Amino acid sequence: MKQTALLMDADAVRRALMRIAHEIIERNHGVHAVSLVGIRRRGVPLAKRIAANLVLIEDEAPPVGILDIGLYRDDLANRPFTPVNQTSIQSQMIDKRVVVLVDDVLFTGRTVRAALDALSDFGRPKAIQLAVLIDRGHRELPIRPDYVGKNVPTARAERIHVEVQEVDEIDRVYVEKITGSGGEE
Amino acid sequence: MRDLVTLENLSAQEMVNLLDLAQNMTEILDRPLKKVPTLRGKAVVNLFFEPSTRTRNSFELAGKYLGADVINVQPSGSSVEKGETLWDTALNLSEMAVDGIVVRHQVSGVPQQLAEILDIPIINAGDGSHEHPTQGLLDVLTLRQAKGRVDGLKVAIVGDVLHSRVARSDIWALIALGARVSVAGPPNLLPDTFEDLGVEVTTDLCEALQDADAVQVLRLQKERQSTGEIPSLWEYRLRWGLTKTSLKCAKPDAIVLHPGPQNRGVEIDSDILDSPRAWILQQVKNGVAVRMAVLFRLLGGGQDE
C-alpha cells in the first residue's frame, strides 16, 4: 500500500528558497564571492532559482554551475547505465570563492560526499556550504547542511519526492509512506 | 553490452548512448585536473600486435583520465616473441586480475575470438580489414558536433576502402544512424559488396562528393603501390586526392575528416588539412572521449537495463 502526504506546495517552496537566499547573503556578507553549484538533476533548477532571488535582493548575479556526480558515485556498478557527466563548471567559479552546493534532498550524505570530491577537481574553494530543500535525516556520513528549506523526520523506507516546475511541471514536495511489509529499501 | 568488437552488431540506441556519454566525457578533458575516480582500482591492458601511436595513446589516456591503471603489451620484448600463442598471452593477462583488454591485431576476427574465450570485456582497437569500432564512433561524434545531427546527412568515404577497417566501422555507424554513404577510390580497392548495404560505390571522386556534408579521407597505405594495387602517388592524388578543386564537388560547408596519420600532398592537400573545414584535430580529441565512454560502459558503467 502506498500513501502520500504533501509536505510543501508551490508557495512553501518559493518562500523556502527566498529565505535560503537571505541566509546565504547574511552569512557571507553579500554574494560577491559566492558561486552556486546545483547537483544534477533537481539541484540545478533550485540553484538557478536561489541565484535569481539573490539578484532580486542584492542586485548581483552569482555564477551558477551544474555538477553531475555520476562519475564519482560509489555504487555505479549497481545502477542502470546512463550517459553520466552532464557537468558544466569553470574553475573561476570555484577557486577562492564560497561555493554553495544545492541539492533537493539530503539523505545519507553520499551524494554530497561525491559532490565534494568532484568539486575539488575544479579548483580550491575558500569554503563549501550546503543548501538543501529537504533534510530527511538518516545520515551515513559526517555531513550537515548549512541551509535547509524544511526538516522532515522520516522513516528509512519512506520516499521523499521533490518536484520542480522545470523538470516535473509542478512545484511540490510529498512523502510516500510504504505501509504493510515495510523494511529497508 | 559486454564487449565492443564490432559496430555491425551494435544497436543504434547503444551507439547513441555511447555518443551522448562521449560528448559528456569531453568536459573532463577541459578540466584543470583531468582525473576522475570512476575506474579506480581497475586495470586495463593495451595488447597491440600492430604499430599504433594515436589509438594506443588515446586508450591509455582515456583509461588514466578515468582513474584506471593501464599497461601496454607489445609483441616485441614480450613472451609473444618467444613463441607464446595469442590465446595463452591473453589467458595469462586475465589471470593477473586485469579488468579489460584492448586489442589490435592484423588478423580480422581476433577480438571476437578473445571475447569468446575470456570473461572480461574485450575492446577491438582494429582487427585486420574488419573493424575499428572506436574510430567509427569518434567519426560520427565529430560529424554530429559539426552538423548537429547524423540522420539525413551524406558522407563520402574516399580511398582504399577495400582494406580499410575504418571505412567499415564508419559505414555501419553511419547507416545505423540514418546517414547516406558514398565511397570512391581506385577500382580494384572498392568492394562492390557495399552496394548491397545501400552504399553508393563509384570510382569517380566528384560523383561521390556530390551533396556530401562530410568527407572522410582514408590514409593511402603506401605499401599498396609496391603490390601494384595503385598507380603512382602522383596519379592517385590527381584522381582521388582531396584538393581545393575536388572538394568543390561537395557541399560548400562540407567538413573534412581523416583518421590519421595523413600523407600530406597524397590523399589530402596541406591547405585543406590546415583549413577550418578540417575537423581532424577535433577527431583526435573525440577519440579520447569515445574511449572513455567505452571503458566506462564496459568496466564500470552500471548494468544493462
Side-chain angles (χ1 to χ4, degrees):
Chain A
M1 266 266 311
K2 282 181 185 176
Q3 240 187 318
T4 60
L6 189 69
L7 296 173
M8 297 175 94
D9 60 10
D11 279 332
V13 170
R14 181 176 53 78
R15 290 185 195 114
L17 294 177
M18 183 56 83
R19 176 171 51 75
I20 288 174
H22 279 286
E23 288 173 0
I24 290 172
I25 292 163
E26 194 177 4
R27 169 124 171 228
N28 298 297
H29 312 288
V31 293
H32 54 274
V34 171
S35 299
L36 299 180
V37 171
I39 301 176
R40 251 189 59 91
R41 186 167 177 207
R42 287 176 181 75
V44 176
L46 295 177
K48 286 181 179 161
R49 283 198 231 173
I50 293 171
N53 290 342
L54 294 171
V55 174
L56 285 178
I57 307 163
E58 290 286 286
D59 201 22
E60 194 178 336
V64 180
I66 297 171
L67 182 60
D68 184 337
I69 56 132
L71 295 173
Y72 295 83
R73 298 199 72 101
D74 56 9
D75 58 352
L76 264 174
N78 305 318
R79 301 166 69 87
F81 169 79
T82 49
V84 294
N85 195 38
Q86 300 179 36
T87 294
S88 169
I89 290 179
Q90 282 80 48
S91 295
Q92 314 87 277
M93 297 169 50
I94 306 299
D95 268 330
K96 301 188 177 82
R97 295 180 69 88
V98 173
V99 177
V100 180
L101 270 178
V102 183
D103 205 1
D104 52 355
V105 180
L106 180 58
F107 183 22
T108 61
R110 287 178 191 271
T111 299
V112 175
R113 197 277 309 160
L116 293 172
D117 278 355
L119 268 189
S120 64
D121 288 351
F122 291 91
R124 188 174 187 279
K126 183 164 160 246
I128 301 177
Q129 298 167 359
L130 175 62
V132 295
L133 188 59
I134 300 288
D135 181 356
R136 61 165 296 185
H138 303 286
R139 219 76 76 233
E140 292 169 2
L141 298 170
I143 280 169
R144 57 151 183 81
D146 297 274
Y147 313 102
V148 181
K150 191 178 175 74
N151 280 296
V152 182
T154 56
R156 247 182 178 283
E158 288 172 343
R159 290 195 60 194
I160 300 280
H161 295 265
V162 171
E163 296 184 334
V164 293
Q165 197 75 46
E166 295 87 334
V167 181
D168 313 288
E169 289 168 0
I170 187 171
D171 280 341
R172 66 174 175 189
V173 181
Y174 62 94
V175 59
E176 190 182 303
K177 295 175 199 293
I178 290 141
T179 53
S181 57
E184 294 285 286
E185 288 168 61
Chain B
M1 191 178 167
R2 265 201 44 205
D3 307 285
L4 181 64
V5 173
T6 71
L7 293 186
E8 181 180 2
N9 297 326
L10 205 62
S11 71
Q13 184 56 53
E14 191 72 69
M15 282 184 210
V16 170
N17 283 347
L18 284 171
L19 294 177
D20 290 346
L21 180 56
Q23 182 64 49
N24 296 343
M25 290 294 184
T26 59
E27 181 267 331
I28 293 171
L29 304 179
D30 297 325
R31 291 185 188 183
L33 203 161
K34 295 182 288 291
K35 202 175 194 68
V36 292
T38 317
L39 294 184
R40 199 176 56 160
K42 304 274 184 185
V44 179
V45 171
N46 276 335
L47 184 57
F48 277 58
F49 292 88
E50 250 187 14
S52 157
T53 322
R54 196 176 329 247
T55 306
R56 188 173 52 74
N57 289 344
S58 182
F59 266 111
E60 184 168 352
L61 285 172
K64 287 180 171 171
Y65 291 156
L66 287 174
D69 294 306
V70 185
I71 64 163
N72 293 301
V73 176
Q74 277 156 312
S76 61
S78 79
S79 47
V80 174
E81 261 189 349
K82 301 175 189 163
E84 186 177 66
T85 69
L86 168 63
W87 320 119
D88 287 331
T89 306
L91 279 171
N92 277 281
L93 285 170
S94 100
E95 278 311 305
M96 292 182 195
V98 162
D99 297 283
I101 296 181
V102 179
V103 62
R104 165 168 291 192
H105 203 279
Q106 57 277 18
V107 177
S108 303
V110 162
Q112 179 60 46
Q113 292 191 40
L114 280 180
E116 284 162 16
I117 295 171
L118 298 177
D119 290 331
I120 55 176
I122 303 296
I123 299 168
N124 181 3
D127 61 330
S129 54
H130 176 227
E131 280 221 43
H132 191 351
T134 54
Q135 178 75 41
L137 290 170
L138 77 88
D139 290 334
V140 289
L141 179 63
T142 310
L143 184 63
R144 199 174 78 163
Q145 286 169 351
K147 298 291 172 186
R149 66 194 166 100
V150 178
D151 187 38
L153 297 179
K154 179 180 170 183
V155 180
I157 301 174
V158 181
D160 177 3
V161 180
L162 182 66
H163 298 97
S164 173
R165 53 195 176 211
V166 174
R168 275 178 190 73
S169 287
D170 279 347
I171 288 170
W172 294 121
L174 289 165
I175 288 177
L177 298 176
R180 278 168 60 209
V181 183
S182 60
V183 299
N188 51 337
L189 298 178
L190 277 181
D192 46 13
T193 49
F194 280 179
E195 280 175 347
D196 303 338
L197 304 170
V199 174
E200 300 162 31
V201 181
T202 173
T203 55
D204 182 353
L205 176 60
C206 195
E207 190 185 323
L209 291 180
Q210 213 72 52
D211 295 322
D213 298 280
V215 191
Q216 165 86 317
V217 185
L218 301 173
R219 181 174 69 89
L220 179 68
Q221 300 173 355
K222 286 186 179 160
E223 58 273 23
R224 303 273 171 230
Q225 199 193 349
S226 55
T227 56
E229 287 166 290
I230 57 157
S232 70
L233 296 181
W234 174 82
E235 194 182 338
Y236 183 90
R237 173 180 178 274
L238 208 61
R239 292 192 62 183
W240 297 288
L242 198 65
T243 62
K244 259 187 192 157
T245 315
S246 59
L247 187 54
K248 287 203 176 97
C249 297
K251 280 189 182 169
D253 63 347
I255 63 160
V256 177
L257 304 171
H258 191 303
Q262 297 92 18
N263 300 302
R264 284 177 182 258
V266 183
E267 74 265 9
I268 186 164
D269 275 6
S270 267
D271 48 359
I272 296 177
L273 271 177
D274 301 330
S275 80
R277 295 179 70 172
W279 280 63
I280 292 162
L281 290 175
Q282 191 65 31
Q283 282 175 285
V284 176
K285 181 176 183 180
N286 285 336
V288 178
V290 158
R291 285 156 191 140
M292 288 170 80
V294 170
L295 287 172
F296 173 78
R297 178 77 179 94
L298 296 178
L299 269 69
Q303 303 172 332
D304 290 325
E305 271 123 80

